[in-house]
Amino acid sequence: MSAQPTAVSATQQRAAAPAGISAGIERLEATELAAEIEFLTARARSLGSGRANRMLADLDLKVRSYSVLSLACSGENPSQRELADFLSLDPSQIVSLVDQLEKRGAVTREADPRDRRSKVITATAAGRRLYQEASAVVRESEARSLRALDEAERETLRGLLRRVAFDNGD
Amino acid sequence: MSAQPTAVSATQQRAAAPAGISAGIERLEATELAAEIEFLTARARSLGSGRANRMLADLDLKVRSYSVLSLACSGENPSQRELADFLSLDPSQIVSLVDQLEKRGAVTREADPRDRRSKVITATAAGRRLYQEASAVVRESEARSLRALDEAERETLRGLLRRVAFDNGD
DNA sequence: AATTAATAATTGACTTTCTCAATGATATAG
DNA sequence: CTATATCATTGAGAAAGTCAATTATTAATT
């Protein structure tokens, strides 16, 4: 599990950068805050989703809509409620995300025959094609965000985050 | 979330839960999306900061204001620009965060003598006391969010995230 | 030294996201 | 069959994010 060594430390990395460019903030990396996993998680996701959103803009998608599309393509036929739970969003946010994707013909919304209150979201053929493109973009974005880690480290990170993300107390 | 011993898999966890409660979403854990580090990061931070915000509400703080306060207590005397860069926020957001903390007497805002354009943010004695309390709350929150990981795993995660958070491409 | 260009904080406008309560349709429990 | 719960939906209001313009100050150029 602990594949930490390898790679260059963030400090070494930044020391190599042209002084004064991203200046100032490395001083703050020695603070208590910078040691908090929650802070690091927040910063990593802010940078990562910022980049992904910029790169997905070509396809008229954001990380949010991409995520819904991805699950719609999964074959698991999620309901909107499940999408909300899984993506940590309010059900009303899912409504508008699905609205947009449905409007552009990427997904369909059908009443679940076993519980007609809930709507099953499924990708159309066009939606699956869009997902193929978007997925490549997201992989590229992720690769850039994770450039500091080698493949083994990425696997370690994935495993740890998975447990935090899905066994998150109370 | 009653201290789960060590590393129980998320799947085992949920399987043990009363069927139907958090039902449905474990089905989605097998999807491609659920394997994306960026997604896992986003979910982990959403759950984590949600919990931290709820727990900090007693102290009239949010993760945001707590983070500013923490850096103000660091001894590094950050400027607002540095806070913005470090916290991935717009400078105008820092203005209002500092406004609030200043209004309650937790921090001061002083022109930097070496560059009077920038304002140095420093915690007051009251601010440091507040930070002591808040810091304990945040540690407790973090402990709950990370209950799935043992101490060594947390260190590994911290190290990996630190590199992602501070060597984030381009 | 005078002018020009850049940077920090601030304000304000605007957009997007979040949070919640209410509603109608359907399902489940008593 | 009545009461209760759940799902999707709508809409309102709060919070957060984005961006351009302004002022004060500093740095760079002539």
Side-chain angles (χ1 to χ4, degrees):
Chain A
M1 235 337 183
S2 41
Q4 216 189 346
T6 328
V8 190
S9 94
T11 307
Q12 289 172 293
Q13 281 295 120
R14 275 188 325 289
I21 290 292
S22 75
I25 86 159
E26 64 259 22
R27 233 177 62 247
L28 301 180
E29 287 181 43
T31 59
E32 289 183 10
L33 184 67
E36 289 182 17
I37 289 175
E38 303 265 32
F39 163 73
L40 296 170
T41 303
R43 190 175 148 104
R45 96 92 216 189
S46 175
L47 296 173
S49 79
R51 165 179 291 117
N53 277 330
R54 286 190 300 276
M55 292 180 66
L56 281 170
D58 292 339
L59 297 173
D60 239 306
L61 286 172
K62 297 186 177 186
V63 170
R64 285 291 169 74
S65 38
Y66 161 79
S67 300
V68 170
L69 179 60
S70 174
L71 294 169
C73 288
S74 69
E76 293 291 342
N77 294 100
S79 70
Q80 295 187 193
R81 152 65 59 186
E82 290 171 325
L83 293 174
D85 289 345
F86 201 65
L87 300 175
S88 316
L89 295 175
D90 189 88
S92 64
Q93 296 177 276
I94 302 295
V95 170
S96 69
L97 286 166
V98 172
D99 279 351
Q100 294 164 224
L101 289 170
E102 191 184 34
K103 195 166 301 171
R104 65 191 277 191
V107 306
T108 62
R109 194 191 228 133
E110 297 176 328
D112 182 339
R114 277 161 308 192
D115 181 348
R116 311 237 322 290
R117 287 171 304 182
S118 64
K119 312 275 182 73
V120 170
I121 308 306
T122 318
T124 62
R128 287 192 297 275
R129 283 191 298 272
L130 177 58
Y131 174 63
Q132 291 313 315
E133 290 189 80
S135 178
V137 170
V138 166
R139 268 194 304 276
E140 169 64 16
S141 170
E142 182 156 304
R144 293 195 200 178
S145 291
L146 299 178
R147 68 164 189 183
L149 308 185
D150 65 29
E151 193 45 50
E153 289 169 331
R154 292 178 197 194
E155 278 314 308
T156 301
L157 179 58
R158 194 190 323 279
L160 293 171
L161 282 176
R162 182 186 278 271
R163 285 161 54 207
V164 174
F166 292 112
D167 182 15
N168 192 281
D170 294 317
Chain B
M1 60 34 190
S2 47
Q4 213 56 33
T6 319
V8 185
S9 94
T11 307
Q12 290 172 293
Q13 281 296 119
R14 273 187 329 289
I21 289 293
S22 74
I25 85 157
E26 64 260 22
R27 233 176 63 246
L28 301 180
E29 287 182 42
T31 59
E32 289 183 10
L33 184 67
E36 290 182 14
I37 289 176
E38 304 264 34
F39 164 73
L40 295 169
T41 303
R43 191 176 149 105
R45 96 91 217 193
S46 174
L47 296 172
S49 79
R51 165 179 291 116
N53 278 330
R54 286 190 300 276
M55 292 179 67
L56 282 170
D58 292 340
L59 297 173
D60 239 308
L61 286 172
K62 298 189 176 185
V63 170
R64 285 293 169 73
S65 37
Y66 160 80
S67 299
V68 170
L69 179 60
S70 175
L71 294 169
C73 288
S74 69
E76 295 290 343
N77 295 101
S79 70
Q80 294 186 195
R81 154 63 60 183
E82 290 171 326
L83 293 174
D85 289 345
F86 201 65
L87 300 176
S88 317
L89 295 176
D90 188 88
S92 65
Q93 294 177 279
I94 302 294
V95 170
S96 71
L97 286 166
V98 172
D99 279 350
Q100 293 165 224
L101 289 170
E102 190 184 35
K103 195 166 299 171
R104 67 191 277 190
V107 306
T108 61
R109 193 193 229 135
E110 298 176 327
D112 182 339
R114 277 160 309 192
D115 181 348
R116 312 232 327 287
R117 286 170 304 182
S118 65
K119 311 275 182 75
V120 170
I121 307 306
T122 318
T124 63
R128 288 190 298 273
R129 284 192 297 273
L130 178 58
Y131 174 63
Q132 291 312 318
E133 290 189 80
S135 177
V137 169
V138 167
R139 269 193 303 276
E140 169 63 15
S141 171
E142 181 156 304
R144 293 195 200 179
S145 290
L146 299 178
R147 68 163 190 184
L149 307 184
D150 66 29
E151 195 44 51
E153 289 168 330
R154 292 177 196 194
E155 280 312 310
T156 302
L157 179 57
R158 194 188 323 278
L160 292 171
L161 282 175
R162 181 186 280 270
R163 286 162 53 207
V164 174
F166 292 112
D167 183 15
N168 192 283
D170 298 314

